């Protein structure tokens, strides 16, 4: 069934699941890039109401299980909630096994929670190219809390930083001592630390390691909490919910944060846009930007040419 | 162009397929074999887990906007359960998600399933390539409809 961008945008604003699903498909696919962008432009004014919660952390600590429980509790508190989960795609075949859903399956259907799995499509920051757009679509559709699960993240998968209001870094006992906890990267972006699997040996030590290293870090107004979870008995989840809600209201109070987020949004859009344009360049169109013939004749190096071109487009920024 | 060979259609966004065993059937070894084979064939693969209801399968397929639902049953209930899935899809007016089947399906039942729009219906011993080619073909129809180019 072919629908126009405007029809789909209307459907999104009305909270129609099929319009939401279709829109996410369209923004994921470069074949429908134009329609996808038209949809985003049309709904953008309706965005900005959702609290966006990023859950990140190494593979196997229980991110999907935590999200299953958490989303169900948020729903029970009366808020509309949606989940976006990103799984890694194969660098060899581009295929993927989107396994996050299985861990939360039973709750999703029972509680009417919208969930969408995306594959990372070779994007390396823990999110996929279209995650921003998927978040915007769900935001405009009236979901009050959007939980984004990153790919099982390494120490440097920090894309989530610009997108989420609140970032919970999930860890489990046995991942490392306080030396790990003071490393840079993933450990620095947390607004909340979660230690899952509190029934395991060493869980309290793991909590203490994180707390100790936080005590050494100068903190701003927001005191980063460390929440211990037992995902079988659901112990600790009330505390996690409270921490998330506290942090969301802390972040959204400040207009400064809104501007910072918008900066990240434009930066991401700009990157997508320039990638697109660079890919579309031909010998002929590049000749309009620089004199290729004289460059070749004078053996100008490619960096100098690229710097000149980008300066002429973006101005002289460092 | 040969069916299922329009690879540029899936260049940015691979075929997305939902594997599901709706109904009472816990034998999912074959599902894992297929999941791995589909992944290695470059598809985005979802598995609905054990014992989903037909309603859950349809719900998942719509939320995820998959191209193909691949149903399997080894318990003989395919005429009832596969039909239920196809009926639910029809009721919700969905014509851009294809349904294929497989499992222990007697030859006599295959035309009945085909009539419901459930194609393939391969049994044990079918080469993986046959199944993958069939899914690619159905996915191409589905995706073209989604993008409004069919």
């Amino acid at each position: 069934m072919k629908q126009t961008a405007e029809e789909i945008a209307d459907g999104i604003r009305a909270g129609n699941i099929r319009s939401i699903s279709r829109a996410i498909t369209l923004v994921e696919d470069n074949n429908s890039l134009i329609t996808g962008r038209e949809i985003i432009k049309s709904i953008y004014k309706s965005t900005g109401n959702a609290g966006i919660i990023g859950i990140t952390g190494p593979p196997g600590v229980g991110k999907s299980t935590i999200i299953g429980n958490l989303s169900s509790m948020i729903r029970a508190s009366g808020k509309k909630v949606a989940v976006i989960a990103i799984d890694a795609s194969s660098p060899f075949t581009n295929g993927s096994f989107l396994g996050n859903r299985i861990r939360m399956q039973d709750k999703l259907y029972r509680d009417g929670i919208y969930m969408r799995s995306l594959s990372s499509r070779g994007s390396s920051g823990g999110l996929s190219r279209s995650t921003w757009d998927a978040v915007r679509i769900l935001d405009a559709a009236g979901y009050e809390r959007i939980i984004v699960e990153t790919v099982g993240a390494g120490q440097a998968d920090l894309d989530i930083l610009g997108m989420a209001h609140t970032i919970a870094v999930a860890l489990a006992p046995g991942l490392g001592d306080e030396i790990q906890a003071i490393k840079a990267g993933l450990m620095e972006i947390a607004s909340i630390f979660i230690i899952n699997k509190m029934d395991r040996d060493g869980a309290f030590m793991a909590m203490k390691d994180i707390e100790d290293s936080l005590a050494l870090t100068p903190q701003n107004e927001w005191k980063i909490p460390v929440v211990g979870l037992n995902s079988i008995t659901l112990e600790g989840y009330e505390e996690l919910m409270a921490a998330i809600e506290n942090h969301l209201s802390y972040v959204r109070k400040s207009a400064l944060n809104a501007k910072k987020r918008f900066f990240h949004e434009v930066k991401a859009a700009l990157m997508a846009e320039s990638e697109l344009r660079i890919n579309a360049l031909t010998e002929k169109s590049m000749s309009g930007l620089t004199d290729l013939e004289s460059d070749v004749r004078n053996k100008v190096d490619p960096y100098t040419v690229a710097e000149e071109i980008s300066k002429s487009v973006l101005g002289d920024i460092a | 162009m040969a069916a299922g060979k329009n690879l540029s259609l899936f260049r940015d966004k691979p075929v997305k397929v939902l594997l599901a065993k709706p109904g009472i059937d816990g034998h999912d070894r074959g599902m894992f074999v297929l999941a791995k084979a589909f992944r290695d064939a470059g598809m985005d693969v979802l598995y609905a887990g054990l014992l989903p209801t037909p309603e859950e399968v349809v719900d998942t397929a719509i939320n995820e906007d998959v191209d193909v639902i691949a149903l399997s049953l080894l318990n003989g209930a395919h005429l009832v359960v596969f039909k239920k899935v196809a009926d639910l899809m029809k009721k919700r007016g969905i014509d851009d998600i294809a349904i294929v089947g497989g499992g222990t399906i007697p030859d006599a039942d295959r035309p009945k399933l085909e009539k419901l729009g459930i194609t393939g219906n391969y049994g044990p011993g079918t080469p993986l390539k046959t199944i993958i080619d069939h899914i690619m073909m159905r996915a191409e129809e589905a995706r073209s409809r989604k993008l409004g180019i069919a």
Side-chain angles (χ1 to χ4, degrees):
Chain A
M1 185 177 51
K2 170 79 172 158
Q3 282 182 304
T4 65
E6 210 37 56
E7 283 167 342
I8 294 175
D10 287 340
I12 293 169
R13 280 184 289 254
N16 179 305
I17 297 289
R18 287 199 64 201
S19 306
I20 295 167
S21 282
R22 179 52 39 86
I24 297 178
T25 301
L26 294 173
V27 297
E28 260 197 291
D29 192 341
N30 268 343
N31 283 312
S32 50
L33 188 86
I34 313 265
T35 324
R37 286 205 179 164
E38 272 174 40
I39 293 171
I40 299 299
K41 286 178 190 171
S42 167
I43 61 166
Y44 190 76
K45 280 212 175 2
S46 317
T47 65
N49 304 312
I52 297 153
I53 304 154
I55 309 266
T56 184
V61 295
K63 291 185 294 299
S64 303
T65 306
I66 293 171
I67 290 172
N69 293 333
L70 183 67
S71 58
S72 182
M73 287 178 74
I74 296 176
R75 187 74 199 90
S77 77
K79 293 197 172 68
K80 274 186 84 183
V81 53
V83 179
I84 298 174
I86 294 119
D87 253 318
S89 54
S90 159
F92 306 111
T93 65
N94 211 16
S96 68
F97 184 68
L98 305 164
N100 294 319
R101 197 179 181 98
I102 289 196
R103 316 256 176 241
M104 30 185 129
Q105 189 107 291
D106 44 336
K107 281 130 196 153
L108 297 174
Y109 186 74
R110 191 191 63 206
D111 300 337
I113 297 165
Y114 183 85
M115 185 207 167
R116 181 67 171 246
S117 322
L118 301 174
S119 76
S120 65
R121 205 74 72 232
S123 178
S124 63
L127 299 177
S128 79
R129 185 178 58 79
S130 42
T131 313
W132 266 108
D133 285 335
V135 166
R136 291 180 185 123
I137 289 165
L138 292 166
D139 188 345
Y143 288 95
E144 296 160 280
R145 294 290 175 269
I146 300 168
I147 305 178
V148 180
E149 175 180 358
T150 71
V151 174
Q155 289 170 329
D157 295 331
L158 310 179
D159 278 4
I160 189 75
L161 184 58
M163 180 184 299
H165 295 111
T166 297
I167 298 172
V169 172
L171 302 165
L175 289 175
D177 56 9
E178 65 263 53
I179 302 299
Q180 288 303 119
I182 55 177
K183 279 192 178 173
L186 189 61
M187 303 305 287
E188 284 177 298
I189 64 170
S191 12
I192 297 166
F193 276 105
I194 296 172
I195 308 288
N196 194 26
K197 312 189 189 184
M198 283 304 282
D199 52 318
R200 294 268 182 94
D201 275 351
F204 288 94
M205 283 306 285
M207 270 184 89
K208 197 175 164 308
D209 282 341
I210 303 289
E211 278 164 358
D212 285 354
S213 85
L214 287 175
L216 295 173
T217 321
Q219 292 190 36
N220 51 16
E221 263 179 83
W222 175 254
K223 300 274 168 283
I224 301 171
V226 184
V227 181
L229 292 183
N230 180 333
S231 295
I232 304 165
T233 61
L234 300 186
E235 249 168 284
Y237 273 88
E238 293 288 346
E239 201 189 327
L240 176 61
M241 285 252 293
I244 290 172
E245 290 303 320
N246 283 341
H247 187 262
L248 280 176
S249 40
Y250 165 75
V251 175
R252 296 206 289 177
K253 240 181 358 210
S254 146
L256 213 68
N257 286 323
K259 193 175 152 201
K260 198 161 149 195
R261 264 176 63 78
F262 189 64
F263 160 75
H264 281 289
E265 285 192 73
V266 175
K267 201 169 154 185
L270 205 54
M271 261 196 238
E273 185 64 22
S274 42
E275 196 187 323
L276 212 73
R277 299 210 168 189
I278 291 168
N279 283 336
L281 273 177
T282 61
E283 207 181 302
K284 187 153 172 271
S285 59
M286 196 186 282
S287 297
L289 298 165
T290 179
D291 186 349
L292 284 176
E293 253 171 70
S294 103
D295 291 343
V296 173
R297 208 169 40 238
N298 298 320
K299 256 198 150 205
V300 187
D301 69 282
Y303 284 113
T304 304
V305 175
E307 276 166 21
E308 290 301 322
I309 294 177
S310 72
K311 256 186 219 166
S312 73
V313 182
L314 282 176
D316 206 352
I317 39 171
Chain B
M1 193 183 329
K5 293 289 183 272
N6 188 0
L7 292 176
S8 72
L9 192 59
F10 300 113
R11 196 186 52 214
D12 299 310
K13 184 171 160 29
V15 171
K16 191 166 181 178
V17 54
L18 170 66
L19 284 160
K21 291 176 86 68
I24 310 293
D25 179 0
H27 301 92
D28 61 358
R29 175 59 52 195
M31 281 313 220
F32 294 138
V33 173
L34 288 178
K36 174 111 190 339
F38 292 173
R39 190 200 76 185
D40 291 344
M43 302 182 196
D44 281 343
V45 185
L46 284 155
Y47 173 43
L50 281 181
L51 312 177
T53 61
E55 288 81 1
E56 284 171 337
V57 171
V58 169
D59 213 54
T60 302
I62 293 172
N63 280 5
E64 296 283 354
D65 202 12
V66 298
D67 299 304
V68 180
I69 304 176
L71 300 171
S72 158
L73 275 181
L74 307 177
N75 68 1
H78 46 270
L79 284 182
V80 180
V81 180
F82 288 9
K83 182 176 184 303
K84 186 85 192 281
V85 173
D87 287 348
L88 283 166
M89 295 288 282
K90 208 168 170 186
K91 207 171 117 194
R92 295 179 70 164
I94 294 156
D95 63 352
D96 51 16
I97 295 177
I99 310 178
V100 303
T104 45
I105 295 166
D107 285 345
D109 289 351
R110 296 173 116 216
K112 294 179 199 159
L113 291 171
E114 294 257 353
K115 246 174 97 180
L116 299 166
I118 302 165
T119 61
N121 304 312
Y122 298 116
T126 310
L128 288 170
K129 188 173 181 308
T130 309
I131 301 171
I132 289 166
D133 285 349
H134 185 77
I135 293 207
M136 290 301 289
M137 184 187 80
R138 295 297 314 273
E140 199 179 306
E141 291 166 32
R143 183 69 66 86
S144 304
R145 284 221 171 111
K146 281 188 210 297
L147 299 177
I149 51 183

